[in-house]
Each structure stands twice: as C-alpha cells, then as structure tokens.
Amino acid sequence: DIVFPSQAKLTDNASYDYIIVGGGTCGCVIARRLVDSNYTVLVLESGDDPSANSMLPGLFYLLPGTSIDYDYRSTFDDYAAGAQGNFTRLTAGNALGGSSVLNHHLSIRPIPQDYDDIASLTGDDGWSYDNMLPYFKKTETVKDEEIASTYSEYHGDSGPVGITRELHDDDVAYYLKALAEVGNPTVEDLNGPVSVGYMQPLLNIASGIRQTPAYVYLNDIKDNPNLHVSKNTKVSKINFENSTAVSVEAIYKDTTYTFRANKEIIVSAGVFNTPQILQLSGVGSTDVLDSLNVDQVADLPVGDNLRIPPTVIVVQKTKKHILPSIPNLVHAFVPFSIPFPLLLGTTPINKSSEIPDYQTYNLMLPHDTPYLTLACTFVYGYSLDVCLRWQTQIASRDAVYSVVVNLDAVSTGTVRANSTDINDAPLITTGFYSESEDLERAVDILLDLLAVEDSATLKDLGAAVVGVDFSECADKEAGSREFWKCYVLHRTIAGFLYSGTCPMQTCVDSELKLLGLNKIRVADASVFPKVLHGALNAAVLSLGEKAADLILQDAAN
Ligand SMILES: Cc1cc2nc3c(=O)[nH]c(=O)nc-3n(C[C@H](O)[C@H](O)[C@H](O)COP(=O)(O)OP(=O)(O)OC[C@H]3O[C@@H](n4cnc5c(N)ncnc54)[C@H](O)[C@@H]3O)c2cc1C
C-alpha cells in the first residue's frame, strides 16, 4: 500500500462515475486520466498488487507460473505445440498492472502503417499515425539522452513511463556487423523515423525499476479520494437495462457485490478475459451464448478473431571461449537491469521494403551461464528436453537466442467462456497455421534470419544453428524447406502478443463503444483488428490515453 493504491472499502450498490473492469495496462492509464479530471472511478482488479520481485527487471524470468500469471493453456494442439506438451502456454498478467507486470520491458511501437490501416478500416482519421503519435509521446519520458535529443520529434519528455536503453556495444558489435553484411542495417531508434533494422532496444525500465502503469500511473493518485481500487476482486457479469450497461457484479472474498456506473463501464480485462466477461453478460454470438445458456443482449462476434503471431525460437552458437564466464551471474544478485545484452530487429524479407515481415528479440547470451535454460523453460515454456538440447550444444560458446515473431500471420483463433463460472479458465484456441500461408511464411522468415550465418563475420567464428537434430524431423533433409516446416511445427510458441478478440469495426466502433449498446466501451489489446508490426505494451498505453480522451470528450458534451 505504500507504492500502490490501498484496498477500497466496498459497499454493495455503491455508485461511481466510471467503473473499470480490469486494472491492467490499459485500465491503469484510463483510471489515472479520469481521476485527474475529478471523476469518481472504481477499478476492479482480479489480481493483487504486483509482487516485489516483479518490480526488479532482472528477475523477469522468475515470474511466469507465479500468482501474478493466469498461466492459461490453449486447447489441445498436437499440431503446433509439441514442444510444450501438446498445448500452447499463454502467460498473462493477473495483478494490478496486468501483463505489464511480467512483460519483457521492450518498448517497440507498431509501425505507422498499422495505424493508417485502422484509420482507413474505421473511416476515423483519429487513428492515423499522425494523430496517434501525440498519445505515444504522452505516455513516456525518454531518459536516454541520445535518443531524446536526436529523435525528440517522436518521443515524450514528461509522461509517466520512464524509458531507457542498456547499451552493451562491445558485446553486440560482432552480431550487428554480421547482420549488416546480409542486408539488415543497424539503426538507432525503431520508434523514430525508420521501422526496419536492428537496435539495442528501448526498455520500460527507469532507475532500475519496472515501469508498470500500476506504479507509474497510479502512484501519484493513490491517496486521491476519487480513486477506489478493489484488488483480488473478480468481475463476473455486467448488467444491462435494455441496451444500456448499468452495473457490474464482482466477487470479493466470496461475497458478490453490485456496483453502479453513473456514466460508463470500461472493460479492460485483456484479450482472454474481456471476451469471457462479455459472453457471460450476454454479449456474444448466438451459438456461443446458446451453448452457455446465457440470454443475449447483443449479437457481436466477441472472442472470434484472436490474433497471436506464432513465434519460433532458433539458437546459434557464436564465439568460442576457454574460461567460464562468471561476472554475468552478478545480475542475479543486483537485479536492476536485464542480465544479458539484447538486440531487437524488425525485418523485411525483401530488404528494400520498409514494412517488416518479422520481429526478433535476440538474447545475446554470454557463454557458460544458465540463462538459456532459465529463459527457455520458465519464460518460453519449452520442455526441458528441448532446452537442454540447446544448452548442451552451446557449451563454452556465446549464443544468440532469437525469438522470432511472424508479423504477417493471418490465422485466427477463438476465446470462449468454458462455463458460466467466471473462475473457470476460458477455452482458448490459437488457430496457429490454420491458414497454410502462415507456415510457408514462417519458413521464409527463418531462412531470411539464418542467412546471417553466410556472413563473413559469423563464418570466421564457426557459428552454427544448434538444436536441429531432434527425432521428429530426422527424416527431413537438413536445411530443406520441409525440414524447416517440421522445425516450425515442433517449436512454435505463442510469444506474448495477443490481440483482436473484440476488434474495431465488427465489435466496437472507432470510439471503442460496443456496437449497438450504450455506456460501455472496451479498451485493451482486444480492440486491435490485426497483428500489429510491433510489440503491444506501447500500443496499449497509447490506446489507454486515447480511450481516456474519448471518454472525457463524451463526458464534456
Ligand atoms: C510474458 C509477456 C511478455 C511481454 N513482453 C512484452 C514486451 O517486452 N514489450 C511489449 O510491448 N509487450 C509485451 N507484452 C505484451 C503486453 O504486455 C500486453 O499486450 C499488454 O500489457 C496487454 O495490456 P491489456 O491492458 O490489454 O491487458 P492486461 O495488461 O493483461 O490487463 C488485463 C487486466 O484485467 C484483469 N482481469 C482479467 N479478468 C478479470 C476479471 N474477471 N475481473 C477483474 N479483473 C480482471 C487482469 O488481472 C489484468 O490485470 C508481453 C506480454 C506477456 C504476457
């Protein structure tokens, strides 16, 4: 309670101007802006305060599977998730601050084209990149002097989220050189004037502390009497009178309360739980609601169009060493920074294009440390067998652990409430590779990425991709397209960039209002219609700022 708002005293049937369902990444941003404008706001959050270790960036790999993670599993999927136990693991934040409490700190925006596409899809120019840029700037204070001074046009200097870089020029220079030799330029700022290239990423870390909105947006208003935050509180239903949302039912310590909203209800429960709550409230397609035996309030395709860009990891061994590396373990005891250098790439296959096809997060792992196994098992959820194969094959070598995200993926999955019990995890089907072009594209992407092995720099080092000798693909010719297809199907994971389950155009309008209903909006990653060409944290923060403006404009009229 010293850092975060304390638990609100709850009164059944109490009224607030606004009720926010889910105090996650987007929910915290909206709460802050509405309280700043003197409205009374109730935030209902199913999780507790972020755990102390989640505030320390260097410990991010310890968070999945703990109490702050829903730790969802997809429906049975032996086709694409063989390496995780025939399901896909879906990490998602269950705490005040939501997924920003356990995410990987990377601040990488979608590309301008993504917003211009939303503007033309919705016919609302408010979503164009030029009109969204001020919201991105409003979220952040860039503390990296070089970026702040060179690219001030693109960056904020007084927003809540502190942004820094952790530079390890000497450690990453050889790999950047190799990438450049095969047509991938080194750039300084992918959130600035260019959208393709490799850089040492901007991070949501300042003064050694994770910049979750639970902290940076709410700390300043935690004692404001207009802010009421109820944690460990699960919203089970939204009540409608005719087509108008009027109240919310929520369970706190085994008691169900009803809270009334004078102005609006904002649903920000994330890509998996927003559709679950809406379906249980009667907002969904007829077949879904019939199967749950829930009366329909609005026929909307809630929970369709789940967009998860399929993600594959490849590992290369690079520089050889004789002496073991000890200093890198120091990070485990001084956890204020990421324990290894990082490179971020957004990359087109056609090197003259300015639209990336894939994104890579490259963990530049020093030799003889346990970080590969830690990341591989805890964070990416691969089976120990997969991780140990990689770990043993990089012995006494530096390694590049590349998390490769297919930004062109078009396959969609679904989210369905499993029963009318809100505590029952939703049924999540990834739909990976249901469109065959995604599998072909995944192979194109890996071949483009691994072209780096043909660079003079990596050839000199005797670099090689490792962990490709597993039995499931042993009958495929090494290096062939058939082999890489097999690899993709046995190493695909979800990455963490989920979106799309209540998208603009078919589910909400461009003001984020649920179509055909009154006094209710959705504001979280569910509203993005397609896979964005970036990661999602910055996109959701700016979405929260825009949503707050839309809500306040309506309140003023
Ligand atoms: C492991 C991981 C790593 C990631 N790494 C990055 C990264 O490095 N960079 C990046 O840009 N993006 C990253 N992301 C993605 C990004 O963090 C998320 O897309 C973003 O935080 C989602 O914001 P949101 O507001 O949509 O949902 P969330 O932040 O997940 O918020 C939803 C909130 O609703 C609450 N809730 C759910 N159900 C209920 C209920 N019934 N009642 C009350 N409350 C409820 C949840 O507890 C949660 O707090 C990562 C995500 C994950 C999971």
Side-chain angles (χ1 to χ4, degrees), residues 492-530:
T492 292
I493 55 171
F496 307 106
L497 306 177
Y498 332 116
S499 65
T501 50
C502 190
M504 278 184 264
Q505 184 78 354
T506 58
C507 193
V508 293
D509 66 15
S510 67
E511 294 185 350
L512 310 176
K513 294 173 177 166
L514 274 165
L515 295 171
L517 298 171
N518 305 313
K519 295 193 171 185
I520 182 163
R521 296 185 212 234
V522 173
D524 59 27
S526 309
V527 303
F528 297 119
K530 289 202 294 193

Side-chain angles (χ1 to χ4, degrees), residues 17-18 20 28-41 138 158 160 216-222 224-227 545 548-549 552:
D17 292 330
Y18 295 98
I20 300 178
C28 289
V29 176
I30 297 171
R32 167 62 185 269
R33 297 307 178 199
L34 298 182
V35 169
D36 279 350
S37 295
N38 296 321
Y39 290 107
T40 55
V41 176
K138 191 174 180 184
S158 53
V216 298
Y217 273 85
L218 297 188
N219 180 263
D220 285 352
I221 56 164
K222 70 184 168 57
N224 188 313
N226 282 343
L227 177 68
E545 295 284 8
D549 262 11
L552 290 170

